Amino acid sequence: MPVTDTLDRPLRDLRISVTDRCNFRCTYCMPKEVFGHDFPFLPRQELLTFEEIARVARLAVGLGVRKIRLTGGEPLLRRDIEVLIAMLREIEGLDEIALTTNASLLQRKAQGLKDAGLDRITVSLDSLDDATFQSMNDVRFPVGKVLAGIEAADAAGLNPIKINMVVKRGVNEQDIVPMAEHFRGTGHIVRFIEFMDVGHTNGWRMDDVVTAAEVVERINAVFPLQQADPNYPGEVANRWRYEDGAGEIGVIASVTQAFCGACTRARLSAEGKLYTCLFGLRGHDVRALLRGEQTDEEIDAFLSGVWGKRVDRYSEIRSEGTVNLPKVEMSYIGG
Ligand code: SAM
Ligand code: SF4
Ligand code: SF4
């Protein structure tokens, strides 16, 4: 039975983090100083198994979920992720399986992901300039390899590809227009994301945010844009189309234009905690139920109970300037 929360929002999307590990150290997500050699990442037995993930996914589809996104950490680091995708593909009623990746392993994995049943892929790329990109990923990963990954995904039929660029003032704002220009006319969609205050480790300040409005203004000055309608209600990106027909971009104004009212997402951490908000403080321990003797009906009741009580609207409250809540890290909960 589909569920709704206290603000009448249905449960539509489930983001599943399949690992808390990553081979990048993006300064805004897993800064090196915090996520160093001795960082206590989750031991393997703490991670949900594929069977456990698939069971939660199946029950969540029964509650209304239509779209699942695999994320992390870096999801392609999870061994045999294709096997999980194939298991999710079997779930009746699930419309879409997507994955967000830094593309470091995409060139050799793209075809296998497609063959396993992946529908769509989002690649994170913050700059086309090697020096800037490497200063942001902080592991000297070159732009060229990400572009090769995008090409491989395109060739495998995982298109159109979305490309996420987190824009940080004074760091990569000069890359907004080049990024738009590079992907215009390719069919891929660049989505410019406002730098967010997730977690506690990225030293967020409002001064570092380049607003979505400014991004649109800068691109529009060079390549005129017109606003496009959302693809579906509750789409987080605002869509803008090039007037000359060269495709579209998206801007995600998570800081300056809160979209909590239409937020239909739940997140499952790699160790099986369910969060009903990206800025959640406390996760609900689903793994304990999965590893106990609980029946599907009992887990189902637990999940619908959690969603039914949901009151989250962190971004809206933040815009009202009334909170400074403790939060979980993006690499843990999966963005
Ligand atoms: N490792 C994969 C990747 O980078 O695509 C998947 C996980 S990553 C946490 C998911 C998305 O969150 C990425 O597109 C990343 O750029 C974004 N992200 C991470 N920290 C962010 C922040 N502070 N503000 C905005 N977006 C952020
Ligand atoms: Fe890794 Fe993605 Fe976070 Fe970068 S944004 S550190 S690639 S999880
Ligand atoms: Fe959804 Fe929480 Fe983000 Fe609001 S702040 S849009 S409720 S995840």
Side-chain angles (χ1 to χ4, degrees), residues 5 7 9 196 236 254 257-267 275-280 307 310-318:
D5 69 8
L7 300 172
R9 297 170 294 190
M196 285 190 291
V236 296
S254 22
Q257 280 172 32
F259 36 72
C260 301
C263 179
T264 56
R265 269 186 199 166
R267 297 175 157 86
Y275 289 85
T276 55
C277 178
L278 179 52
F279 298 91
W307 191 264
R310 178 179 188 245
V311 293
D312 305 299
R313 44 188 289 272
Y314 175 86
S315 287
E316 286 180 359
I317 300 171
R318 174 190 46 208

Side-chain angles (χ1 to χ4, degrees), residues 98-113:
L99 180 142
T100 305
T101 176
N102 63 23
S104 54
L105 301 172
L106 190 54
Q107 204 178 354
R108 61 184 157 90
K109 287 209 160 237
Q111 190 62 52
L113 294 169

Side-chain angles (χ1 to χ4, degrees), residues 28-29 71-74 100-102 124 164 166 196 198 202 330:
Y28 52 75
C29 178
T71 174
E74 174 45 47
T100 305
T101 176
N102 63 23
S124 303
N164 278 358
V166 175
M196 285 190 291
V198 277
N202 68 10
M330 191 84 146

Side-chain angles (χ1 to χ4, degrees), residues 11-16 50 53-70 83-99 116-120 264 266:
L11 171 60
R12 286 267 162 202
D13 315 271
L14 181 62
R15 295 199 161 208
I16 303 175
F50 289 167
I53 292 174
R55 187 173 173 207
V56 180
R58 182 169 48 77
L59 294 172
V61 169
L63 296 175
V65 164
R66 291 292 168 267
K67 178 172 164 189
I68 286 181
R69 178 171 295 276
L70 301 176
V83 172
L84 174 64
I85 292 169
M87 287 165 76
L88 296 175
R89 189 76 279 169
E90 299 286 301
I91 299 174
E92 232 167 272
L94 182 61
D95 294 340
E96 189 176 305
I97 308 173
L99 180 142
L118 188 70
D119 296 303
R120 280 172 185 276
T264 56

Side-chain angles (χ1 to χ4, degrees), residues 174-196:
Q174 68 284 358
D175 297 309
I176 296 171
V177 172
M179 194 78 147
E181 183 167 20
H182 183 86
F183 289 104
R184 263 167 55 83
T186 62
H188 308 321
I189 303 168
V190 184
R191 304 191 316 163
F192 300 87
I193 304 179
E194 291 179 353
F195 171 50
M196 285 190 291

Side-chain angles (χ1 to χ4, degrees), residues 24 84 106 129 209 231 242 249 253 283 312 327 330:
F24 283 17
L84 174 64
L106 190 54
D129 172 70
V209 179
N231 286 312
Y242 292 110
I249 60 154
D312 305 299
K327 312 167 275 238
M330 191 84 146

